[in-house]
Amino acid sequence: GNSVTQMEGPVTLSEEAFLTINCTYTATGYPSLFWYVQYPGEGLQLLLKATKADDKGSNKGFEATYRKETTSFHLEKGSVQVSDSAVYFCALIFYTGTASKLTFGTGTRLQVTL
Amino acid sequence: GAGVSQSPRYKVAKRGQDVALRCDPISGHVSLFWYQQALGQGPEFLTYFQNEAQLDKSGLPSDRFFAERPEGSVSTLKIQRTQQEDSAVYLCASSSRLVFANYGYTFGSGTRLTVV
């Protein structure tokens, strides 16, 4: 079946540090890949996406590249801020014939300190 | 509306009580999804509507869970005879696309259900 594996958190970084959150997936076919972010007390927000191999998604300084050869979609940011503290979810979407379903990883909590 | 609206934000239910959770999707969005997010976990698919038709309910954990969307807009997720293991955040999401939702969905803020 389809699944997503993320590195466990929490990840604690100082402000302006480099961030990497690893994500690998298992899927039949070629799913689209997403990173969602969940700030405290809020719903899931789409952070970035990539729909085919070698695509790079980017938003708000975050980047992730769809690597088919390693089935990975690692999230990176060059310089994190305290406001980036949140839970980050890697996800894939695939069409079952009746619906396009999102499958999520377990999430990685990021804590950024001054 | 501008976003997906869910109500109530918080619900505390006594074990055995029935609950109803409401979702107002973005106006005009034909696709609507319900997800369940247990504490410390990622969201898991429950069910999918295309307009008023429930096309996939494979994720509903038991026959105590029931969802409807009678007019193709507002949806209600009902849980009968709640159990402690039903405690979770229930997320609703909508999309303007029927299939191949490569752009993902827009999620609501969720309803946090606590069964005591």
Side-chain angles (χ1 to χ4, degrees):
Chain A
N2 299 303
S3 65
V4 175
T5 302
Q6 287 182 240
M7 63 187 289
E8 290 192 17
V11 173
T12 303
L13 295 173
S14 298
E15 201 170 45
E16 299 183 0
F18 184 85
L19 169 71
T20 299
I21 299 178
N22 291 337
C23 171
T24 57
Y25 67 90
T26 302
T28 54
Y30 303 103
S32 295
L33 302 174
F34 301 83
W35 278 98
Y36 278 84
V37 58
Q38 190 171 38
Y39 298 102
E42 299 185 16
L44 286 166
Q45 298 177 28
L46 179 63
L47 181 60
L48 53 84
K49 63 173 176 68
T51 58
K52 61 184 187 297
D54 300 324
D55 267 3
K56 177 185 284 188
S58 61
N59 186 27
K60 299 181 181 179
F62 291 89
E63 292 183 341
T65 301
Y66 190 160
R67 302 285 189 200
K68 190 176 72 171
E69 63 277 11
T70 55
T71 61
S72 65
F73 193 55
H74 304 320
L75 183 68
E76 296 181 336
K77 187 175 185 182
S79 176
V80 294
Q81 306 299 312
V82 172
S83 57
D84 293 328
S85 298
V87 181
Y88 292 81
F89 292 92
C90 185
L92 63 82
I93 198 166
F94 63 97
Y95 180 59
T96 67
T98 56
S100 292
K101 293 182 182 178
L102 273 169
T103 296
F104 289 88
T106 55
T108 303
R109 181 177 298 278
L110 171 65
Q111 297 174 329
V112 181
T113 60
L114 292 171
Chain B
V4 178
S5 177
Q6 292 188 246
S7 60
R9 282 298 304 273
Y10 304 93
K11 176 69 178 178
V12 178
K14 291 185 177 179
R15 191 160 56 96
Q17 189 177 355
D18 296 350
V19 299
L21 313 180
R22 178 187 169 103
C23 172
D24 279 274
I26 293 174
S27 179
H29 276 196
V30 297
S31 294
L32 185 145
F33 304 81
W34 284 98
Y35 281 77
Q36 179 191 57
Q37 186 177 14
L39 187 64
Q41 301 297 313
E44 294 193 355
F45 173 84
L46 292 177
T47 187
Y48 164 67
F49 288 88
Q50 186 180 108
N51 295 306
E52 69 278 5
Q54 188 175 21
L55 298 187
D56 191 327
K57 54 183 180 180
S58 62
L60 296 176
S62 77
D63 58 8
R64 296 186 296 103
F65 287 71
F66 173 76
E68 60 184 5
R69 194 187 185 197
E71 297 179 0
S73 55
V74 171
S75 178
T76 303
L77 176 67
K78 298 179 179 179
I79 309 173
Q80 298 176 323
R81 306 180 303 281
T82 52
Q83 304 295 315
Q84 283 192 318
E85 61 263 27
D86 300 335
S87 296
V89 175
Y90 290 85
L91 297 168
C92 178
S94 69
S95 171
S96 60
R97 289 165 172 82
L98 290 175
V99 296
F100 302 121
N102 289 341
Y103 295 87
Y105 325 143
T106 301
F107 280 85
S109 297
T111 294
R112 182 178 296 278
L113 172 65
T114 303
V115 181
V116 298

